[in-house]
Amino acid sequence: MDLESVIYNKNPIKEQSWKTVLTLAYQSLGVVYGDLSTSPLYVYKSTFAEDIQHSDTNEEIFGVLSFVFWTLTLIPLLKYVFIVLRADDNGEGGTFALYSLLCRHARVSLLPSTQLADEDLTEYTIDGGGTLQDNKRNNLGWGLKLKSLLEKHKVLQRVLLVLALIGTCMVIGDGVLTPAISVFSAVSGLELSMSKEQHRYVEVPVACIILLFLFALQHYGTHRVGCLFAPVVLTWLLCISAIGVYNIFHWNPHVYQALSPYYMFKFLRKTQKGGWMSLGGILLCITGSEAMYADLGHFTQLSIKIAFTFLVYPSLILAYMGQAAYLSKHHEMESDYRIGFYVSVPRPLRWPVLAIAILQAVVGSQAVITGTFSIIKQCSALGCFPKVKIVHTSSKIHGQIYIPEINWSLMLLCLAIVVGFRDTKRMGNAAGLAVITVMLVTTCLMSLVMILCWHKSIWLAVCFILFFGSIEALYFSASLIKFLEGAWVPIALSFIFLIAMYVWHYGTLKKYEFDVQNKVPINWLLGLGPNLGIVRVKGIGLIHTELVSGIPAIFSHFVTNLPAFHQVVIFLCVKSVPVPHVRPEERFLVGRVGPKEYRLYRCIARYGYRDVHKDDMEFEKDLVCSIAEFIRSDTSEYGLGLGNFEDDTKMTVVGTSASKLEGVRMSVDDQEDTCPQTEGTSELRVVKSPTIRKRVRFVVPDSPQIDMEAREELHELMEAKEAGMAFIMGHSYVRAKRGSSWIKKVVINYGYDFLRRNSRGPTYALSIPHASTLEVGMIYHV
């Protein structure tokens, strides 16, 4: 089955059958809630590490439980389930989904190759079926003023981009810290079955072995073991809720009193600064909440809401209440505060629970790692991260990808965290800061979405950011104060990734501006004549360019230095647009460069930030078929006069070959041309010699009939395809121009140059044989 067809038929929300919704809710347990469900392993242990000294009263225990209950209620339940999940980008979620929504409702995108034609994409339409132009009439008052302010000032647009990148970098940092703390906390249960000396030498090696095993299996893809994820999480949730109910009735049935917010006040009044600092451990109860929104594209809003509201939320509340009930009756055991979860498990069940906890930690870590791969792919698609190798591990399940370089980097960083910290407290401080920073970024972007996208009152957006922002700012301050106790890790990781991402984006933008300023005018091409002043040899010359209009300087550089070029030339631009997916029938924009007899075409392949880039021969086939379909349907008068060629921005939308029931289709075989014509269609074939070689033919519908000129043009395209395709790409050397500041010279000459030399080329170029690839060196002075 074609992966693109799977993507656009994957969202079952339209069916709205209860069977479908409940099935998706069950499946979401393993993908969305693995990380969130693991938090009972380390919340109490991190909270009572050192900041709070236990006493003979239950005020500290009940106060922590009250904070946990209201934090889980206000942030995941109220903020994410009832508000943030509504801000989906055509069914997709995450930090870049919010940024994408803002880019489409206001012209704040810093992507260089934007076109008005992109606004005609089906998924570019906004909530309510409007487009960007329609939005101008609806956005009145403060919303219009805010929109104009953002569009006028480039500084604000950069701030918006940096804000989205900070959230993204913290997600990557969470991808390092969550596997470390989850696995380490699960393994800590071994402390109850061995001496302290033995445990010291066993805990770290066992955690490292599990992490090595986890990252080594990534290249197989989660779809091979994904069927086990949901049962593991379901078993874990039922297990911790059952243990919680047992502890409540067995140790302290009155623990429900701690759900009153009054206990939060008593807790802070008694513990003062220590209680405030302990909030950094309490906030770990909501780690993984962002996954509800980030993984929205794989499920539906209703299924995620049902799974959290009716299973995950009550199970977590019962688990935390059960731990508090046990601790409230065991003040004399100081180690109970240090060990946390496992000491509240009845003794006969500890080994089975330990095994389930380790499996649960692996599942939770897997979800975070997969999410890290996904967000890096989105960043790369939007020009904010160097090109990396992306392996699609499943041909049927959208979003299952593997990035080798990132996988091994995460593994090394995870092992360094475990070996370097060796305790849950500092890991928790680091993970807490990463989690709360992502939530703060989401809150800020959501307030803008309310005004610009939902057209709500600015006062409603202010209330939203003040209410949730103040809660998250409180937790953020408690995490930041522990900078020297582990919180420096996500800041350091985010700073490194942010610098790399912004340098790459800045260098890419400057390189594109140089291309635009130095593109060749169309008059130069017309002055060369149909043969371009050189010998035209058989074949297709595929020239990669970032330009969406004009002739790239690389072409003139090539033509003026070599005496021959291909009979058919295609200027190919592969660009990303700020939508999650581009439908296959809207994939290509095709147009001419110059008169018809020049045989020069421009093809723009458009992809969304979550789209799958084809890296095999299927892309080449779709590309040639899109040109053929354009030739068949082209009714322009190119060739009759020269005044029509000064603007080459006129493009035609053409879909992929798999998306068209009617249209030009191409077939390739190794047989001689002896087959009769197919009934109902016209077949154009190329027959040159009796030797067996690749035969190319276009199957063209009889209606509408094509004229002889178009038929001859299709014949030349087939001959060129048979002769072979050569890929011409620029090998750019980007340097800061004279007079630039020393900062710009460092960024361009060293930073961007290092990233460019260690990044990968276009994905569609990977399947082209090296013998068919030609690199043309050019120096860019930006």
Side-chain angles (χ1 to χ4, degrees), residues 17-50:
S17 68
W18 278 108
K19 181 180 178 181
T20 302
V21 171
L22 292 178
T23 301
L24 286 172
Y26 170 73
Q27 293 174 349
S28 70
L29 292 176
V31 176
V32 178
Y33 298 109
D35 185 17
L36 183 61
S37 303
T38 313
S39 55
L41 286 173
Y42 45 78
V43 168
Y44 279 99
K45 187 174 181 179
S46 299
T47 304
F48 289 104
E50 290 178 5

Side-chain angles (χ1 to χ4, degrees), residues 573-584:
C573 172
V574 178
K575 57 177 283 189
S576 295
V577 290
V579 295
H581 302 291
V582 175
R583 295 179 179 274

Side-chain angles (χ1 to χ4, degrees), residues 645-658:
F645 309 129
E646 294 182 0
D647 182 14
D648 66 340
T649 58
K650 182 180 179 182
M651 310 286 283
T652 301
V653 177
V654 181
T656 61
S657 57

Side-chain angles (χ1 to χ4, degrees), residues 2-306:
D2 184 23
L3 183 56
E4 285 187 318
S5 62
V6 174
I7 292 174
Y8 296 102
N9 293 297
K10 70 179 178 68
N11 194 350
I13 193 171
K14 298 181 178 62
E15 300 178 9
Q16 286 296 328
S17 68
W18 278 108
K19 181 180 178 181
T20 302
V21 171
L22 292 178
T23 301
L24 286 172
Y26 170 73
Q27 293 174 349
S28 70
L29 292 176
V31 176
V32 178
Y33 298 109
D35 185 17
L36 183 61
S37 303
T38 313
S39 55
L41 286 173
Y42 45 78
V43 168
Y44 279 99
K45 187 174 181 179
S46 299
T47 304
F48 289 104
E50 290 178 5
D51 299 317
I52 305 175
Q53 297 298 324
H54 68 281
S55 62
D56 293 335
T57 64
N58 291 328
E59 289 185 6
E60 296 90 345
I61 299 170
F62 281 15
V64 170
L65 176 59
S66 185
F67 265 104
V68 168
F69 172 75
W70 287 105
T71 303
L72 277 171
T73 302
L74 294 177
I75 303 299
L77 186 62
L78 181 59
K79 175 186 171 183
Y80 280 94
V81 170
F82 290 106
I83 301 177
V84 175
L85 284 181
R86 294 181 54 222
D88 66 298
D89 184 11
N90 291 288
E92 300 291 342
T95 304
F96 266 95
L98 291 174
Y99 182 69
S100 174
L101 280 173
L102 293 173
C103 288
R104 299 210 306 274
H105 288 74
R107 300 187 189 278
V108 297
S109 174
L110 293 177
L111 289 177
S113 54
T114 54
Q115 294 175 282
L116 288 176
D118 297 336
E119 297 180 13
D120 296 328
L121 291 170
T122 302
E123 296 206 8
Y124 209 97
T125 55
I126 63 174
D127 303 345
T131 60
L132 188 60
Q133 287 82 0
D134 301 329
N135 198 31
K136 292 179 180 177
R137 296 189 296 268
N138 301 327
N139 230 339
L140 303 176
W142 283 101
L144 185 59
K145 293 179 181 178
L146 179 61
K147 178 173 175 290
S148 301
L149 187 67
L150 290 173
E151 291 179 345
K152 287 180 181 178
H153 296 86
K154 283 285 185 182
V155 175
L156 295 179
Q157 296 174 18
R158 293 192 183 98
V159 169
L160 198 62
L161 175 64
V162 170
L163 189 64
L165 292 182
I166 289 175
T168 301
C169 292
M170 284 295 180
V171 170
I172 299 173
D174 192 32
V176 174
L177 296 164
T178 293
I181 190 174
S182 298
V183 173
F184 191 84
S185 299
V187 173
S188 66
L190 295 171
E191 186 174 355
L192 296 175
S193 58
M194 60 182 65
S195 65
K196 189 173 182 179
E197 290 73 16
Q198 291 176 323
H199 179 261
R200 184 190 310 169
Y201 297 105
V202 170
E203 189 176 30
V204 172
V206 171
C208 290
I209 290 172
I210 293 175
L211 287 172
L212 283 170
F213 180 75
L214 172 64
F215 284 99
L217 290 179
Q218 291 301 311
H219 71 280
Y220 290 109
T222 56
H223 68 285
R224 298 184 187 274
V225 290
C227 58
L228 301 176
F229 284 4
V232 168
V233 177
L234 179 61
T235 303
W236 171 252
L237 289 173
L238 295 177
C239 177
I240 61 175
S241 58
I243 293 173
V245 171
Y246 168 80
N247 285 331
I248 291 171
F249 285 99
H250 185 72
W251 296 111
N252 190 351
H254 300 290
V255 74
Y256 69 89
Q257 297 175 355
L259 302 184
S260 169
Y262 174 67
Y263 281 90
M264 292 191 292
F265 171 73
K266 291 180 65 176
F267 171 77
L268 292 177
R269 184 180 61 183
K270 181 176 181 179
T271 57
Q272 297 180 0
K273 182 180 178 182
W276 168 61
M277 294 180 66
S278 70
L279 295 179
I282 294 174
L283 77 86
L284 293 176
C285 70
I286 55 175
T287 180
S289 299
E290 188 74 19
M292 284 192 287
Y293 183 51
D295 294 327
L296 182 60
H298 298 163
F299 303 97
T300 62
Q301 290 185 27
L302 185 59
S303 62
I304 291 178
K305 290 178 178 179
I306 289 175

